[in-house]
Amino acid sequence: MLTGTNLTYTKAFNHRIVFETIRLNGPISRADIARATNLTAQTVSNIVNRLLKRNLIMEGKRMQKKRGAPSVTLDINPKGAYSIGLDFNRDHLTGILVDLAGNLVDKKYFEVNDPTPEASIKLMAETAEDLFEKDKYKNSYLSGIGIGFPGPMQVNQDNTVSNVVNPKSFTHWKNVPVLKLLSQHIDAPIFLENNASAAAIGERWYGVGRNISSFLYSFFGVGLGGGIILNGQLYEGANDNAGELGYTPMDAGVSPLSNSDHPHIGEHFDLTRLYNWLAKSDIKVKSPQDLRALYLDKNEKFMEWIELAKELLAPAFLSVENLLDPEVIILGGRLPEEILKDFSDGLSTRLNNMRIVEKTTGPEFLTATAGEDAAALGAATLPMFDLYAPQPQVLIKKNGQNNSDD
Amino acid sequence: MLTGTNLTYTKAFNHRIVFETIRLNGPISRADIARATNLTAQTVSNIVNRLLKRNLIMEGKRMQKKRGAPSVTLDINPKGAYSIGLDFNRDHLTGILVDLAGNLVDKKYFEVNDPTPEASIKLMAETAEDLFEKDKYKNSYLSGIGIGFPGPMQVNQDNTVSNVVNPKSFTHWKNVPVLKLLSQHIDAPIFLENNASAAAIGERWYGVGRNISSFLYSFFGVGLGGGIILNGQLYEGANDNAGELGYTPMDAGVSPLSNSDHPHIGEHFDLTRLYNWLAKSDIKVKSPQDLRALYLDKNEKFMEWIELAKELLAPAFLSVENLLDPEVIILGGRLPEEILKDFSDGLSTRLNNMRIVEKTTGPEFLTATAGEDAAALGAATLPMFDLYAPQPQVLIKKNGQNNSDD
DNA sequence: TTGGTTAAATAAACTGAATTGATTAATCTT
DNA sequence: AAGATTAATCAATTCAGTTTATTTAACCAA
């Protein structure tokens, strides 16, 4: 709804603006922050002192530039807050602990096999507890826990999680109240998100998207997912389906991996199907790392898949260009970097040829900075982003919400 | 850049919030506004009194609901401000005057033929002056003049206007500094926009988009254009090309209207080419109204075009659904309402069949409320939107900008 | 009819955010 | 060493929404 604002919200927003300015430009002085943000020096000074008290930033050494008094530099305090990210899948759970600067502090990896909700919740809770041991991080602040779910699963409005789209991959999951169950074990804010969207936020906050306000993140996970960042914020669409390139139709028979009535390109990127298809040619793979080896070997069969992948992605990305006109398209996920790089190069040239003559520019293709842990890092970013990112929504009143925060 | 905010911006934003609440829900009492906006009654009272003083709203009669003192209703004052919209094309210029409530007050129409910039500027300035005669609207406020340019023309960053995409249609136009030239004749804020984007804003502010925060507006003008509204704001993309469905490729030979090396669906919607193609079958048409007659006659040749149009639009809109996931797709522009309605019905059912099985929902298709003057009304909305719409940007400082406004 | 209750609107005093103006301190320039 | 320049902050001010209290107008029950 149309809600107003007041000074409390102003304050919260300005705190975030100053924090973000330090995060992106640090080390930076109070005076430079004032210039960058159009806030007065006095205001910046007050906000900085409050952020210092909260241990979110720290002072560095004095720096003299030209004349005048030397300035004290400010920088993010990595130990000011921590966050846990869980990347949950049918076959594995990755849990990571990151600090405020986005550094990977700790990591746990578990192989699972189509786990029940009960077993999953238990594993998630234990992993989270292990990652942030109370005595080890005695005086530190845990901003929260983010959990990324594989693309085909859906985080419902009521925060239950179900797999509406592909019931066969997660046999035991249907409208599971993950948030409710987890909060019985965990005393910290919990955030649920589709792993592609989470990865997009991660890339926006810590990765190549730091200075890019609009991009599409193509996430190669178990299948093909997507997350869209517009004006610095996650755009999920009316039904949380925005960016789902995988649904793009393709002609029947084009991909040997397709087996549906409505062939769509997502099928070609289903890793399980890819492994099975390769197995038919006696090529044994069971992980993205195995694919990397195949790729470096220039394995003929796998190269066939790669070429077809680019063939299928090209028109989909042309649609992205025409419809969304993003500055950048980021490729990331579980596929090895070399393969993503191959995609990005191949797609760039393909799009140049497909574009109508009068148009000369298109989005730039980049590969994500986060590697195989993109989803987990993205999940870990969710609480951080919620607490510290300068989102315009912060400025707008919400019923019964208290914004005080000193 | 990352800029902070302060109370001045808060005030400006809250004024817009209250105004918009009245606009959308009026007649409405101060107390109801307070409840709707989460602002206190006192704040609303203050803001309302300032808006009354500026003549933007007006008091109605007392209304008693249950117990307690009866409330005074408030409503938009249509005569509080006026706006001029110019829809400029190769073949015509439509100029309209609308009031604050979006009512059409006056309209001028001129046929032109590939006019030079000089002649065009002169005609625009004269039309604007005629529409808002000083003595006739003595005590009224003109919020500004909006001008919509046909899709293939481009409003450059430096506010010059050129036709980069299709140089053949506007032979005399290349990097014309429209804003500079017009402001020599006109003493009011001037806004330039692509006509599809303008129409989208018009529909957002006055039309079916009033309560829809994200939609794609497909604009059937001289060709096929598009405007995207996300979170209530116009999203133009990194190169102002977002929503340009016309660039969607199609196979060669599919549309008899195509003649390019890179066939794209926009070619099928080029009205000039359509007229010429129909002429080959001895069907003489030269206006959208003529097409309406053909449609009502169920003219065989024209129906062929209609069917192919839907055939081409369907996959493009499926991309929209998958990528943007909008609540609604609005069809509008110069094509007669009956044809747009046909498109919308046909596309709805087509998309239902193309969608992969597991997905059940898609965007709703609506036809625009504004008819053939959609572009002009949209253009007229630009100044209004800029002055009165509750945009989050209002909350953010801009260098050297003074936000005082009492 | 009367007194009590409910609600709208606003006046007056308050709170808390950024701002403005003044001051101090550190460094460079000449 | 004196003056200029810049960073940082203290102190006082401004001005937005908020809180509290008051007035007014209606309804309702006895």
Side-chain angles (χ1 to χ4, degrees), chain B residues 47-207:
Chain B
I47 293 175
V48 159
N49 289 332
R50 284 192 287 250
L51 291 173
L52 281 168
K53 203 183 281 177
R54 287 168 65 189
N55 282 320
L56 294 176
I57 58 173
M58 54 190 189
E59 286 191 318
K61 49 194 165 194
R62 287 178 166 273
M63 292 257 285
Q64 59 255 43
K65 289 174 187 174
K66 300 171 193 174
R67 282 199 182 182
S71 54
V72 180
T73 62
L74 299 161
D75 227 324
I76 295 296
N77 177 14
K79 297 184 177 175
Y82 292 86
S83 183
I84 290 173
L86 302 177
D87 171 30
F88 178 65
N89 266 278
R90 191 186 187 284
D91 61 336
H92 76 276
L93 173 77
T94 307
I96 60 170
L97 181 72
V98 300
D99 64 22
L100 190 51
N103 301 311
L104 184 65
V105 178
D106 200 358
K107 179 173 171 178
K108 312 262 175 192
Y109 181 86
F110 303 95
E111 294 201 350
V112 298
N113 187 5
D114 190 13
T116 63
E118 293 72 30
S120 308
I121 298 289
K122 190 156 171 277
L123 183 60
M124 288 181 197
E126 285 172 2
T127 307
E129 209 162 324
D130 282 1
L131 283 166
F132 194 74
E133 282 177 274
K134 288 261 162 64
D135 1 323
K136 202 164 162 193
Y137 300 95
K138 216 172 250 172
N139 298 312
S140 301
Y141 177 65
L142 180 66
S143 62
I145 298 174
I147 308 173
F149 290 88
M153 297 197 83
Q154 217 172 53
V155 178
N156 300 321
Q157 294 269 322
D158 59 350
N159 269 317
T160 58
V161 169
S162 59
N163 53 339
V164 175
V165 177
N166 193 357
K168 280 168 198 158
S169 70
F170 266 89
T171 29
H172 306 102
W173 285 69
K174 191 124 210 171
N175 295 322
V176 180
V178 175
L179 198 62
K180 198 177 147 197
L181 294 172
L182 264 178
S183 57
Q184 289 166 3
H185 299 87
I186 297 172
D187 184 30
I190 301 170
F191 297 79
L192 309 178
E193 192 56 80
N194 160 311
N195 56 11
S197 297
I201 286 194
E203 209 61 36
R204 161 70 184 155
W205 188 243
Y206 287 122

Side-chain angles (χ1 to χ4, degrees), chain A residues 286-311:
Chain A
K286 52 174 201 160
S287 76
Q289 277 313 305
D290 296 342
L291 293 178
R292 181 170 180 272
L294 282 188
Y295 179 79
L296 296 178
D297 266 10
K298 296 198 202 310
N299 174 286
E300 200 179 325
K301 201 76 187 166
F302 186 52
M303 285 321 216
E304 194 183 307
W305 180 85
I306 297 257
E307 284 310 307
L308 189 50
K310 287 185 278 192
E311 199 70 34

Side-chain angles (χ1 to χ4, degrees), chain B residues 5-7 30-31 35 41-42 45 67-72 397:
Chain B
T5 183
N6 65 19
L7 353 186
R30 290 166 175 81
R35 278 185 284 269
Q42 183 61 61
S45 184
R67 282 199 182 182
S71 54
V72 180
K397 281 192 168 193

Side-chain angles (χ1 to χ4, degrees), chain A residues 80-102:
Chain A
Y82 292 86
S83 183
I84 290 173
L86 302 177
D87 171 30
F88 178 66
N89 266 279
R90 190 186 188 284
D91 62 336
H92 76 275
L93 173 77
T94 305
I96 61 170
L97 181 70
V98 299
D99 65 23
L100 190 50

Side-chain angles (χ1 to χ4, degrees), chain A residues 6-7 30-31 35 41-42 45 67-69 71-72 397:
Chain A
N6 65 18
L7 358 185
R30 290 167 174 81
R35 278 185 284 268
Q42 183 59 60
S45 185
R67 281 198 184 183
S71 54
V72 180
K397 281 192 167 191

Side-chain angles (χ1 to χ4, degrees), chain A residues 61-315:
Chain A
K61 50 194 164 196
R62 288 178 167 273
M63 292 258 284
Q64 59 256 44
K65 289 175 188 174
K66 299 171 190 174
R67 281 198 184 183
S71 54
V72 180
T73 62
L74 300 161
D75 227 324
I76 294 296
N77 176 16
K79 297 184 178 175
Y82 292 86
S83 183
I84 290 173
L86 302 177
D87 171 30
F88 178 66
N89 266 279
R90 190 186 188 284
D91 62 336
H92 76 275
L93 173 77
T94 305
I96 61 170
L97 181 70
V98 299
D99 65 23
L100 190 50
N103 302 310
L104 184 66
V105 178
D106 200 356
K107 179 174 171 178
K108 311 261 175 193
Y109 181 87
F110 303 95
E111 293 199 352
V112 297
N113 187 5
D114 191 12
T116 62
E118 292 72 30
S120 307
I121 298 289
K122 189 156 171 277
L123 183 60
M124 288 182 196
E126 284 173 1
T127 307
E129 210 163 323
D130 282 0
L131 283 167
F132 194 75
E133 283 178 273
K134 289 262 163 61
D135 359 325
K136 204 166 162 192
Y137 300 95
K138 216 170 251 168
N139 298 313
S140 303
Y141 176 64
L142 180 66
S143 62
I145 298 174
I147 308 173
F149 290 88
M153 297 197 82
Q154 218 172 50
V155 178
N156 301 322
Q157 294 268 322
D158 58 350
N159 269 317
T160 59
V161 169
S162 59
N163 54 337
V164 175
V165 176
N166 191 358
K168 280 167 198 159
S169 70
F170 266 90
T171 28
H172 306 102
W173 286 68
K174 191 125 210 170
N175 295 322
V176 180
V178 175
L179 197 64
K180 197 176 149 198
L181 294 173
L182 264 179
S183 57
Q184 290 166 1
H185 298 88
I186 297 172
D187 184 29
I190 301 170
F191 297 78
L192 310 179
E193 192 56 82
N194 160 313
N195 57 12
S197 296
I201 285 194
E203 209 61 36
R204 162 69 183 155
W205 187 243
Y206 287 122
V208 289
R210 275 184 168 225
N211 293 301
I212 302 168
S213 70
S214 70
F215 62 82
L216 174 94
Y217 188 112
S218 246
F219 184 86
F220 297 89
V222 176
L224 174 61
I228 297 178
I229 301 284
L230 297 179
N231 300 324
Q233 310 301 313
L234 183 66
Y235 173 76
E236 303 197 81
N239 304 297
D240 291 330
N241 263 320
E244 282 297 334
L245 287 178
Y247 295 146
T248 307
M250 62 182 173
D251 290 335
V254 170
S255 166
L257 276 64
S258 168
N259 68 5
S260 105
D261 291 342
H262 290 262
H264 50 282
I265 68 170
E267 295 181 274
H268 188 70
F269 297 89
D270 184 323
L271 288 188
T272 314
R273 292 193 198 173
L274 174 60
Y275 299 159
N276 291 339
W277 178 68
L278 288 170
K280 278 192 225 158
S281 308
D282 281 325
I283 304 168
K284 295 214 165 38
V285 284
K286 52 174 201 160
S287 76
Q289 277 313 305
D290 296 342
L291 293 178
R292 181 170 180 272
L294 282 188
Y295 179 79
L296 296 178
D297 266 10
K298 296 198 202 310
N299 174 286
E300 200 179 325
K301 201 76 187 166
F302 186 52
M303 285 321 216
E304 194 183 307
W305 180 85
I306 297 257
E307 284 310 307
L308 189 50
K310 287 185 278 192
E311 199 70 34
L312 293 170
L313 287 175

Side-chain angles (χ1 to χ4, degrees), chain B residues 251-267:
Chain B
D251 291 336
V254 171
S255 167
L257 276 62
S258 167
N259 66 5
S260 106
D261 292 342
H262 289 263
H264 50 281
I265 67 170
E267 295 181 273

